[in-house]
Amino acid sequence: MARALGAQAPLSVQIGSDASLRKHGFEGHNNLSFHRRSWNSTSLELKKRNVQLKYQNEVVCMSVQQASKKKVAVQPLELENAKEPPLNLYKPKEPYTATIVSVERLVGPKAPGETCHIVIDHGGNVPYWEGQSYGIIPPGENPKKPGSPQNVRLYSIASTRYGDSFDGKTASLCVRRAVYYDPETGKEDPSKSGVCSNFLCDAKPGDKIQITGPSGKIMLLPEDNPNATHIMIATGTGVAPFRGYLRRLFMESVPNYHFGGLAWLFLGVANTDSLLYDDEFTNYLREHPDNFRYDKALSREHKSKKGGKMYVQDKIEEYSDEIFKLLDGGAHIYFCGLKGMMPGIQDTLKRVAEERGESWDAKLSQLKKNKQWHVEVY
C-alpha cells in the first residue's frame, strides 16, 4: 500500500467570485499561497497551467494555504450521520470509474524519488472515513493472468471525508513513484517500474481511474473522546492518513466535533526536500500550539544521540518517557509507512520499557486490548 507543493489545501473557487473565499473562511486575508508563490487575492492572476475548469460549472481548482484560525466550512454534513464506516462499496469486479482532478509533485529537487499528491473526483459516490484506503486498478491486463485486469493496489487516503475541496466529492492520495535501479549499472530500468504508482503520478486532469473500497478499520480516528491524545508515527507516504486526521482536527469546521486534546506527529523522511505537507503541519503548529506537536526525523540531515543517522525511532526514544506516560493515560498511537519501520520501533519501545522496569510484551498486549494500538504498514 503506497501513500506529497508544500501541503496546501486545494479549494474550489467560483471564477471571479470573492464571495466563495468568504464562504470558506478566508475573508480578510488577501495574501494567498498558490503553487508556492505569493499572490494578492484582489488581483489573482491564474496562469493556464494552474487552472482547471471543472466540467461546465467554471470552477477553478487552486491550492490555497490555510491562513486563518477560522476553520473552513464543510458539506454535506450528512457525512457525519453514519454510525459505521462505509466498507467495500465497490469491489474489484465492479469498480467505480472516477476522474483525476489534479496531480502535483510534493517534494523538492533534492528529494530521493518523486512523491505526488493526487486528487480524485468520486462525485460523492464512494464516501470514506479518515484512515481508510481506496483500491486502485491500473489500466492494462494482469501479466500473470492474461486477459484479466490488473490486481488492486491499496492506497491510504490523504484527505478527510470532505476532500480537499470540502464538498465531499473528492479524495486525495499521496503516492511515491516506484522505480527500479539496476544495482550493477545504477541506471533506472523502466521495465520494472511500479505499474500503479507510475500510472497515478503520470495521470492528467480528466483521466479516468478505476477505484474500489473504501476499506480498513484499524486506522480509523476514534472520536468518542474529543480531548484524547493521538500520537502519529509516519515514514514517507505513511503520513497520508495523518494528513486527513489533522485537517479534520484543525482545519475543518465540523459542528459536532471540536477537538481539545493533543495530536503529536512524528515524521521520518530523508531530507528537508522530502518533507510532505510540511507547510500545512507547520501552520497547525503555529495556530494550535497547545494541541499540536510536530517532530521530524531527517535521516540524511539529522544525527541521533548516538551520532548515527536520525530515524523516526530515534525521535521516539528521545521523547520516550513522555510517550509512555501518555500511553498509560489512554493515548492512541498510530504507525503508518513501510513495514521495515516497525522492527526498529518495536526494539526501541521494548528497550525503553525494560529500562523503566516494564514488560513490553505485557504493555503491548494491554495497548491492543484497549484499542490504543493502530498499525498499517506495507
Side-chain angles (χ1 to χ4, degrees):
M1 212 168 7
R3 304 298 174 221
L5 283 186
Q8 295 156 337
L11 173 66
S12 291
V13 181
Q14 204 71 26
I15 293 179
S17 170
D18 290 332
S20 55
L21 280 176
R22 291 195 293 271
K23 183 180 76 171
H24 286 285
F26 293 93
E27 184 175 16
H29 298 273
N30 292 326
N31 294 319
L32 306 179
S33 175
F34 183 45
H35 289 256
R36 290 185 175 178
R37 297 179 62 182
S38 296
W39 303 77
N40 185 287
S41 63
T42 58
S43 60
L44 191 62
E45 221 175 293
L46 297 176
K47 293 192 175 183
K48 185 176 180 181
R49 70 183 182 89
N50 290 331
V51 176
Q52 295 168 353
L53 294 183
K54 191 177 180 183
Y55 312 119
Q56 282 75 42
N57 297 325
E58 290 194 330
V59 174
V60 176
C61 177
M62 67 183 184
S63 298
V64 179
Q65 183 176 337
Q66 174 73 356
S68 166
K69 286 186 178 179
K70 187 173 180 180
K71 293 189 175 183
V72 180
V74 293
Q75 61 179 353
L77 292 176
E78 290 76 18
L79 291 176
E80 301 294 321
N81 295 342
K83 302 301 181 186
E84 294 292 330
L87 288 169
N88 301 313
L89 302 178
Y90 290 88
K91 298 180 179 175
K93 290 185 178 180
E94 294 182 331
Y96 180 79
T97 302
T99 305
I100 296 290
V101 175
S102 62
V103 177
E104 296 178 292
R105 180 185 170 96
L106 277 178
V107 294
K110 295 181 181 179
E114 180 181 24
T115 303
C116 295
H117 181 74
I118 298 156
V119 180
I120 299 168
D121 187 336
H122 60 79
N125 296 303
V126 196
Y128 56 89
W129 283 9
E130 299 74 25
Q132 289 192 296
S133 299
Y134 269 173
I136 305 296
I137 304 176
E141 67 176 22
N142 189 331
K144 295 182 180 180
K145 297 180 181 178
S148 299
Q150 293 275 5
N151 290 332
V152 174
R153 274 75 162 180
L154 291 177
Y155 292 85
S156 287
I157 298 171
S159 50
T160 73
R161 66 194 70 186
Y162 298 100
D164 285 6
S165 53
F166 311 110
D167 61 2
K169 294 182 179 180
T170 69
S172 300
L173 304 180
C174 179
V175 179
R176 177 167 176 163
R177 187 189 293 274
V179 294
Y180 173 82
Y181 289 92
D182 187 290
E184 294 184 2
T185 66
K187 295 183 178 180
E188 182 181 337
D189 183 352
S191 68
K192 296 181 181 179
S193 297
V195 173
C196 197
S197 65
N198 282 273
F199 160 67
L200 288 168
C201 291
D202 289 335
K204 301 292 186 293
D207 286 354
K208 299 301 178 183
I209 181 172
Q210 302 292 310
I211 62 176
T212 68
S215 63
K217 296 178 74 172
I218 190 67
M219 293 292 286
L220 294 178
L221 181 67
E223 297 187 354
D224 53 330
N225 178 8
N227 297 315
T229 294
H230 304 282
I231 303 168
M232 298 162 274
I233 319 293
T235 57
T237 55
V239 77
F242 306 142
R243 191 234 183 195
Y245 294 177
L246 295 170
R247 286 172 74 90
R248 182 165 177 83
L249 298 180
F250 298 125
M251 181 181 286
E252 298 178 343
S253 176
V254 181
N256 297 324
Y257 183 60
H258 303 281
F259 182 63
L262 172 67
W264 191 353
L265 173 64
F266 291 85
L267 176 59
V269 293
N271 55 20
T272 300
D273 270 20
S274 303
L275 286 168
L276 307 175
Y277 309 111
D278 187 61
D279 288 355
E280 201 162 301
F281 301 150
T282 301
N283 189 64
Y284 301 147
L285 192 64
R286 180 173 59 252
E287 298 194 342
H288 304 276
D290 296 331
N291 303 99
F292 183 53
R293 294 174 67 172
Y294 179 30
D295 284 279
K296 295 170 268 192
L298 308 181
S299 62
R300 299 188 184 181
E301 295 178 13
H302 296 166
K303 295 293 184 182
S304 69
K305 288 184 177 180
K306 297 177 181 178
K309 290 184 177 182
M310 172 70 81
Y311 294 106
V312 71
Q313 61 262 33
D314 298 307
K315 273 293 177 186
I316 293 172
E317 186 169 16
E318 192 176 318
Y319 294 99
S320 57
D321 282 342
E322 194 171 357
I323 290 172
F324 270 62
K325 288 176 183 177
L326 290 171
L327 291 174
D328 289 341
H332 289 271
I333 189 164
Y334 311 80
F335 303 88
C336 191
L338 294 173
K339 63 178 66 176
M341 72 185 273
M342 289 308 296
I345 290 173
Q346 289 269 30
D347 290 345
T348 297
L349 294 172
K350 183 176 182 178
R351 183 173 63 254
V352 170
E354 290 173 349
E355 290 171 354
R356 293 165 57 90
E358 300 181 55
S359 164
W360 173 244
D361 290 341
K363 191 174 193 69
L364 177 57
S365 178
Q366 191 62 45
L367 290 171
K368 290 179 178 179
K369 182 178 179 181
N370 295 343
K371 298 183 179 180
Q372 294 171 251
W373 183 264
H374 312 264
V375 179
E376 183 174 81
V377 292
Y378 44 92

